[in-house]
Amino acid sequence: MTLMAERPVISGTTPRSGFEDLLDLLDELHVPDGYKAEIIRGSIVVSPWSKGYYTRVMKLVCNQLEPHLPAGHIIERAPQLFVFPRVERAYGPDIHAAHERTYETSSNHLDGEGLSFVAELTSVSTRDEDLTDKVETYGKAGVPLYLVLDMQEEQAIVFGSPSAKGYEVRFTKPFGEKLYIPDPFGCTLDTTGFQAPEQEAQEQNEA
């Protein structure tokens, strides 16, 4: 679901951007239960929350990566909104890691450039953005690592070495194999157990 918002008329002398107005609208938006809202390509995009078994997968990722976090960094699955004002994006990643000072704010808009790691678990409705818009944004913002768990294709993709042009390194492994996670983590991620429950997988194959 995509909401196109016209820029409201704001009184006062301080100039505002359309992105700031979208952030305000996002804060005031009554999102239906079971959905989250992000700002992508100048629009508020509302998408469903994760399937139940995604929780198991996210926990497996966090448990494996936490021992390899850079000093002073923490990894979380709690819903947080990270903003990228220069490219007018605001994302709520499934998993995020950053220095603990990034979270020391009373604002619910966190600094996207403070991220050291982001992971997204794709769904049918979010897969395109996860593999295109977010790859470009995270890479150009200098986020060291971006992990995409493609739940539809059952493969893990990690992007590393960010630059002004985006990520310069990409590794891909099918679920069930070990994926190298570059610096600043410098470890391997075992993707065993990332697949859908056996009954659901059978139903998808029969569909």
Side-chain angles (χ1 to χ4, degrees):
M1 183 191 311
T2 302
L3 305 178
M4 298 296 294
E6 294 184 2
R7 183 177 177 182
V9 177
I10 307 293
S11 61
T13 58
T14 303
R16 292 175 58 86
S17 70
F19 178 65
E20 290 173 326
D21 293 336
L22 276 176
L23 281 173
D24 288 344
L25 182 60
L26 192 65
D27 288 339
E28 298 169 1
L29 189 65
H30 296 289
V31 181
D33 290 342
Y35 287 79
K36 68 176 179 178
E38 301 175 297
I39 298 176
I40 302 174
R41 300 190 184 105
S43 301
I44 294 177
V45 177
V46 179
S47 57
W49 284 110
S50 302
K51 296 180 180 180
Y53 80 93
Y54 283 26
T55 298
R56 162 171 51 83
V57 177
M58 289 188 283
K59 185 176 180 181
L60 288 170
V61 172
C62 291
N63 288 347
Q64 292 186 65
L65 295 186
E66 190 165 24
H68 304 281
L69 286 169
H73 287 233
I74 58 177
I75 189 166
E76 291 289 343
R77 290 180 283 148
Q80 299 283 358
L81 187 70
F82 290 88
V83 299
F84 301 85
R86 287 188 296 175
V87 292
E88 300 188 345
R89 301 291 196 273
Y91 301 145
D94 293 318
I95 304 173
H96 44 89
H99 195 282
E100 56 190 11
R101 62 174 171 263
T102 301
Y103 300 96
E104 287 298 319
T105 175
S106 59
S107 173
N108 61 348
H109 302 157
L110 278 64
D111 180 13
E113 295 188 1
L115 288 161
S116 57
F117 172 83
V118 176
E120 297 282 9
L121 283 67
T122 67
S123 66
V124 173
S125 62
T126 66
R127 187 172 182 271
D128 180 62
E129 284 77 16
D130 291 340
L131 290 169
T132 56
D133 193 76
K134 293 182 181 182
V135 174
E136 180 178 358
T137 296
Y138 289 139
K140 291 183 177 180
V143 178
L145 293 170
Y146 175 38
L147 173 67
V148 178
L149 298 181
D150 189 336
M151 309 305 282
Q152 287 67 54
E153 295 296 325
E154 295 196 341
Q155 63 179 356
I157 310 165
V158 65
F159 299 88
S161 298
S163 70
K165 296 181 180 180
Y167 288 111
E168 297 181 357
V169 171
R170 167 178 171 158
F171 301 107
T172 304
K173 288 287 185 180
F175 287 174
E177 296 190 12
K178 292 183 178 180
L179 173 71
Y180 175 64
I181 305 295
D183 291 337
F185 287 76
C187 64
T188 58
L189 178 70
D190 187 350
T191 63
T192 301
F194 285 17
Q195 293 90 343
E198 184 175 347
Q199 180 179 355
E200 182 172 325
Q202 290 176 351
E203 292 174 352
Q204 290 176 349
N205 291 333
E206 293 171 359

